[in-house]
Amino acid sequence: AQSVTQPDIHITVSEGASLELRCNYSYGATPYLFWYVQSPGQGLQLLLKYFSGDTLVQGIKGFEAEFKRSQSSFNLRKPSVHWSDAAEYFCAVGSLWGAQKLVFGQGTRLTINP
Amino acid sequence: NAGVTQTPKFQVLKTGQSMTLQCAQDMNHNSMYWYRQDPGMGLRLIYYSASEGTTDKGEVPNGYNVSRLNKREFSLRLESAAPSQTSVYFCASSDIGEGSYGYTFGSGTRLTVV
């Protein structure tokens, strides 16, 4: 069965510091991978996605993620965080065709220290 | 603005009461989904509709029913609410193919069952 693990429930970083959020997946077929961000009281917004090709993908708000098939990982990174990046981040895996049933990780809550 | 609209935004029910959560999208997407979000558990799929006229169970369908009324609308019904159904419910829509951008989410319905 497919699954997504985000090992870190809560991460705190200082403003201006670099960030890496971890995501490991288990999926039987070619995985299609996503990162979403959720601000308090809001729905989820797509940050970036990986379907195929270059394993380093760029997203919105200065985020990037790297797909590593050998490690079953799709970690999210940002070189320098801003206070507005404080939110909850979800990694998801699914199939592109047919119904796109996504399986989500448990989420990582990011706190930014001034 | 184009997107996914959910109503209501907040609801309090007594145990045993029924209600329907409404969802509508105006992006001409084929697929629609209902997820629930609980702390520490990420988002779990309740039901989905791959296309107009079809619905299928997701990971946690017990206690819920759905109706795909037309291509735009996908409703979720709780026939006899239970405290375990206290959650935040998200509707989402998507289209198929690599040209799609993953899910578009509504802003959520916060449901409390007392």
Side-chain angles (χ1 to χ4, degrees), chain A residues 41-108:
Chain A
Q42 301 297 312
L44 281 73
Q45 180 185 20
L46 180 67
L47 279 177
L48 48 79
K49 57 185 171 36
Y50 172 76
F51 292 156
S52 63
D54 192 347
T55 57
L56 184 64
V57 294
Q58 303 297 321
I60 63 171
K61 305 184 180 188
F63 285 93
E64 67 178 25
E66 186 171 13
F67 171 59
K68 293 185 176 180
R69 184 183 298 274
S70 62
Q71 298 178 19
S72 298
S73 68
F74 188 57
N75 294 347
L76 182 71
R77 300 194 294 249
K78 187 170 185 177
S80 176
V81 298
H82 186 263
W83 64 266
S84 60
D85 293 325
E88 189 150 22
Y89 293 80
F90 292 93
C91 181
V93 66
S95 169
L96 183 60
W97 300 102
Q100 294 181 2
K101 294 184 293 178
L102 293 184
V103 175
F104 287 83
Q106 304 93 318
T108 298

Side-chain angles (χ1 to χ4, degrees), chain A residues 32 34 36 38 41-46 49 51-52 88 90 96-107, chain B residues 31 33 35 37 40-43 45 48 50 90 94-103 105-108 110:
Chain A
Y32 295 101
F34 305 81
Y36 286 85
Q38 184 182 33
Q42 301 297 312
L44 281 73
Q45 180 185 20
L46 180 67
K49 57 185 171 36
F51 292 156
S52 63
E88 189 150 22
F90 292 93
L96 183 60
W97 300 102
Q100 294 181 2
K101 294 184 293 178
L102 293 184
V103 175
F104 287 83
Q106 304 93 318
Chain B
S31 301
Y33 313 82
Y35 281 83
Q37 183 180 24
M41 304 189 74
L43 280 78
L45 183 63
Y48 67 99
F90 286 100
S94 72
D95 215 339
I96 64 173
E98 290 198 13
S100 69
Y101 294 101
Y103 285 3
F105 281 89
S107 58
R110 186 174 295 274

Side-chain angles (χ1 to χ4, degrees), chain B residues 3-63:
Chain B
V4 177
T5 302
Q6 289 183 237
T7 56
K9 293 190 182 302
F10 300 94
Q11 184 72 48
V12 178
L13 290 179
K14 294 182 178 179
T15 298
Q17 286 185 318
S18 63
M19 78 162 295
T20 300
L21 281 64
Q22 306 287 353
C23 175
Q25 53 94 6
D26 58 7
M27 296 167 288
N28 203 36
H29 284 169
N30 287 296
S31 301
M32 298 185 73
Y33 313 82
W34 277 104
Y35 281 83
R36 60 178 289 172
Q37 183 180 24
D38 302 292
M41 304 189 74
L43 280 78
R44 293 180 292 168
L45 183 63
I46 304 171
Y47 271 92
Y48 67 99
S49 171
S51 61
E52 185 179 358
T54 69
T55 61
D56 285 286
K57 296 178 180 179
E59 180 185 355
V60 288
N62 291 344

Side-chain angles (χ1 to χ4, degrees), chain B residues 47-90:
Chain B
Y47 271 92
Y48 67 99
S49 171
S51 61
E52 185 179 358
T54 69
T55 61
D56 285 286
K57 296 178 180 179
E59 180 185 355
V60 288
N62 291 344
Y64 305 95
N65 284 300
V66 291
S67 295
R68 183 76 183 265
L69 304 172
N70 47 55
K71 191 170 186 179
R72 290 187 62 249
E73 298 173 286
F74 188 40
S75 63
L76 178 72
R77 183 161 178 83
L78 287 70
E79 292 290 353
S80 179
S84 61
Q85 294 177 304
T86 293
S87 187
V88 181
Y89 292 85
F90 286 100

